[in-house]
């Protein structure tokens, strides 16, 4: 279970990095396309097909953000119940809440661009939290905390 | 006690003091507490493999004249479960047809195909009507009976034709699974309706419309007034994006319209895409009509763009300058119509920062009914929230807080004066399209309209905007009331308007595989 927890936590962190790459890849492609005379308005955004190849970046960003990362965070939370490590659930909850906040900020960014800026900032918090969650499990494993305390601690006299 | 035993691990500890079995039970319980509601929501979101729109969602009787509908008073807001399928409504959508004894004035044969098209140098998997996209323009004079014979030659999913903006009899509305079955390969269907409203319209498939319209299964329909038009040149500009390629009338280039200096030109712009676009001109123009209805006393427009929502139409009048130059009508920044002497070029005018506000444009005129005393009032609140639609998790569009298929079926009676409050809190623009009726805008964000009556069938509702619109329930049947970003429709942004006592013999999915979205 701990391995699963670690893997999921690191996967969340990896996905955050992938998200950052995808969205910048999209904007770089958009910039190049506009430089070449491409026009982006809502009609173009909502059309079928890809006016420039990097459109895939924003589509993948959406699928990752709406489905994959929340799914990973939810699995992390469920797995955390079975790791028998104190704090594992707390950090899984923190990661999960940050994922939800991230999605909300992403959506709100359509209305309030400043929320989009916070979406970028929250991504760093989520990345950090996911890395920390994974690392502390590794640290916990290194000192053998999976052993019940009654076996490792002498009775208090 | 040893020093070793007092050491605490740096990052975590076991859950001391809790019996192992209890810990496992708690963990399982917590898992169930998370998974069970999700499973329930997932299960509840699934739709039957075959269903009638009559059993979808819930009946919304609105606020207003409900006393005799069993709602108990005029002030409440009544909702109820859908009628069971074995209740016996008196009328079917198929009953609502044009006079079968009347001879057609305009006859058109349309053949739909699935084929490759080259647009702007790109090869596109497309849908065509009579071998082209857009299909042939249908022109009629006001009052004429149009008869269109549709043959589906090769569109695998089947097709229908919906007459966007024309208040046709319900059986002719062309919505697969609601007013007819999708026409399979080799199948035929005949549409007959009287073109009572002069104006600019279009037709498109309403079977898998998300893909078929994007792929080109549409065409233009123009109904000229009995008295003719005041302009010397009449031209249509149908904007569409094929696989990312912006076009006018199917060509990825500017549309050149020859016209003499001093001539007035009517440019009928139709937006067949999924999102709004801006339209503006060099010099000035007049907005003659919106969604097929004339603006009353339109004034000259300088330095403003006209917002043309998805599915919407705008008729602009421009005058060719006397100095030998031309007028350029930008249909978004990507495409343009150039009107004037052949060969004359015009630089693209900069896009105005301000949009023409139709709330105050033109002069007031009688509506033909009194919307200040509606007999029914509905809410169409658009939101967006996480949940499941058809078993898929996501951030989905909601109507009045609920997700597809738990959407309202607005119930009206013939003769009702209906006011609908549309509010958009979803963060994205929605082009709202009610079939079979024209609606007049009463107010936006609570500010009353003071210009010409602003009639729409496709209304651009931007984020954080609200509209109050009114219409007369004068076209009985069952009508879609949906977002004309057809992707959004496919994602569940679909409600219906039904006249009390109506039913449909058609089914969504089923043997004809009807998929109207």
């Amino acid at each position: 279970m701990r391995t699963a927890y670690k893997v999921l936590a690191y996967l969340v962190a990896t996905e955050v990095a992938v998200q950052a790459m995808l969205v910048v890849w999209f904007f770089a492609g958009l910039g190049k396309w506009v430089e070449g005379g491409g026009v982006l308005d809502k009609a173009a955004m909502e059309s079928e097909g890809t006016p420039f190849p990097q459109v895939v970046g924003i589509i993948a960003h959406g699928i990752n953000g709406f489905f994959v990362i929340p799914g990973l965070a939810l699995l992390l939370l469920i797995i955390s119940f079975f790791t028998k490590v104190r704090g594992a659930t707390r950090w899984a909850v923190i990661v999960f809440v940050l994922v939800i906040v991230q999605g909300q900020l992403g959506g709100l960014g359509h209305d309030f661009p400043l929320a989009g800026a916070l979406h970028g900032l929250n991504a760093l918090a989520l990345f950090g939290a996911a890395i920390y969650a994974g690392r502390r499990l590794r640290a916990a494993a290194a000192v053998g905390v999976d052993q019940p305390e009654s076996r490792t601690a002498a009775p208090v006299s | 006690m040893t020093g070793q035993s007092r050491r605490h691990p740096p990052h975590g500890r076991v859950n001391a003091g809790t019996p192992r079995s209890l810990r496992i039970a708690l963990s399982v319980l917590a898992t169930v507490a998370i998974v069970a509601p999700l499973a329930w929501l997932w299960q509840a979101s699934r739709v039957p493999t075959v269903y009638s729109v009559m059993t979808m969602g819930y009946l919304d009787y609105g606020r207003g004249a409900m006393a005799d509908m069993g709602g108990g008073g005029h002030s409440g807001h009544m909702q109820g479960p859908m009628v069971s399928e074995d209740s016996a409504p008196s009328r079917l959508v198929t009953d609502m047809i044009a006079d079968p004894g009347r001879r057609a004035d305009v006859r058109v044969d349309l053949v739909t195909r699935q084929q490759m098209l080259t647009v702007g140098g790109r090869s596109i998997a497309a849908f065509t009507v009579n071998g082209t996209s857009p299909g042939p323009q249908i022109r009629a004079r006001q009052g004429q009976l149009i008869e269109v014979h549709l043959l589906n030659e090769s569109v695998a999913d089947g097709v229908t034709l919906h007459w966007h903006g024309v208040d046709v009899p319900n059986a002719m509305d062309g919505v697969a699974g609601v007013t007819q079955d999708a026409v399979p390969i080799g199948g035929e269907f005949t549409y007959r309706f009287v073109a009572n409203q002069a104006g600019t319209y279009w037709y498109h498939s309403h079977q898998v419309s998300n893909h078929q319209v994007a792929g080109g299964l549409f065409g233009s329909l123009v109904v000229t007034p009995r008295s003719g038009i005041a302009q010397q040149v009449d031209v249509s500009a149908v904007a569409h994006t094929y696989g990312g390629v912006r076009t006018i009338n199917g060509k990825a280039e500017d549309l050149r319209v020859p016209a003499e200096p001093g001539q007035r030109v009517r440019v009928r712009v139709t937006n067949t895409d999924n999102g709004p676009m801006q339209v503006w001109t060099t010099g000035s123009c007049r907005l003659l009509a919106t969604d097929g209805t004339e603006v009353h006393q339109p004034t000259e427009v300088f330095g403003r763009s006209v917002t043309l929502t998805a599915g919407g139409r705008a008729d602009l009048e421009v005058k060719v300058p006397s100095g030998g130059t031309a007028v350029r009508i930008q249909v978004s920044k990507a495409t343009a119509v150039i009107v004037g002497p052949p060969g004359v070029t015009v630089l693209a005018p900069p896009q105005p920062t301000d949009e023409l506000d139709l709330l105050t444009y033109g002069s007031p005129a009688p509506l033909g009914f009194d919307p200040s005393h509606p007999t029914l009032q509905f809410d169409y609140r658009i939101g967006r929230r996480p949940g499941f639609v058809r078993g898929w998790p996501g951030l989905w569009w909601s109507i009045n807080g609920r997700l597809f298929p738990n959407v309202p079926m607005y119930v009206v009676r013939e003769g009702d004066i209906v006011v609908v409050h549309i509010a958009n809190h979803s963060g994205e623009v929605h082009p709202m399209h009610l079939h079979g009726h024209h609606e007049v805008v009463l107010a936006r964000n609570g500010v009353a309209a003071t210009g010409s009556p602003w009639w729409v069938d496709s209304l651009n509702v931007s984020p954080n905007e609200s509209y109050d619109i009114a219409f007369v329930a004068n076209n009985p049947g069952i009508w879609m009331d949906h977002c004309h970003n057809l992707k959004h429709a496919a994602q569940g942004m679909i409600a219906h308007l039904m006249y009390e006592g109506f039913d449909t013999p058609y089914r969504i999915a089923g043997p004809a595989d009807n998929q109207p979205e």
Side-chain angles (χ1 to χ4, degrees), chain A residues 41-44 46-48 50-51 66-67 74 77-78 81-82 84-86 110-111 136 139 143 145 147 149 154 156, chain B residues 5 9 11-14 16 23 27 30-31 38 122 211 241 243-244 246 274 276 332 393 395 427-428 463 485 487:
Chain A
D41 60 6
K42 184 68 175 171
E46 296 291 337
S47 75
E48 282 203 339
T50 49
F66 282 143
F67 300 107
L74 194 66
L77 181 60
I78 291 170
F81 301 147
F82 301 93
K84 301 178 215 161
V85 174
R86 178 165 292 177
H110 291 271
D111 269 345
R136 65 186 301 286
V143 295
V145 291
Q147 299 304 309
E149 192 172 67
V156 177
Chain B
S5 70
H11 290 290
R13 299 183 39 179
V14 294
R23 226 169 46 224
S27 299
T31 304
L38 289 175
R122 268 203 201 187
H211 293 301
T241 306
R246 303 295 285 263
N274 280 330
S332 83
L395 199 55
E428 275 199 37
N485 182 335
K487 288 181 183 177

Side-chain angles (χ1 to χ4, degrees), chain A residues 18-157:
Chain A
V18 168
Q19 287 291 81
M21 291 168 68
L22 285 171
V23 81
V24 178
W25 184 56
F26 162 73
F27 279 112
L30 171 64
K32 188 180 175 201
W33 181 64
V34 169
E35 287 289 324
V39 173
L40 186 73
D41 60 6
K42 184 68 175 171
M45 279 169 70
E46 296 291 337
S47 75
E48 282 203 339
T50 49
F52 55 96
Q54 294 79 11
V55 168
V56 174
I58 199 71
I59 295 169
H61 186 88
I63 292 170
N64 254 343
F66 282 143
F67 300 107
V68 181
I69 298 178
L72 290 172
L74 194 66
L75 271 178
L76 180 74
L77 181 60
I78 291 170
I79 294 289
S80 77
F81 301 147
F82 301 93
T83 55
K84 301 178 215 161
V85 174
R86 178 165 292 177
T89 298
R90 186 191 319 139
W91 279 94
V93 167
I94 289 170
V95 166
F96 186 73
V97 168
L98 286 172
V99 166
I100 298 301
V101 169
Q102 185 69 346
Q104 294 297 314
L105 287 172
L108 269 176
H110 291 271
D111 269 345
F112 310 103
L114 190 61
L118 295 176
H119 182 75
L121 187 65
N122 189 65
L124 296 179
L126 174 57
F127 182 80
I131 292 282
Y132 182 72
R135 285 186 63 83
R136 65 186 301 286
L137 248 282
R138 198 172 67 180
V143 295
V145 291
D146 58 334
Q147 299 304 309
E149 192 172 67
S150 56
R151 288 187 211 161
T152 55
V156 177
S157 57

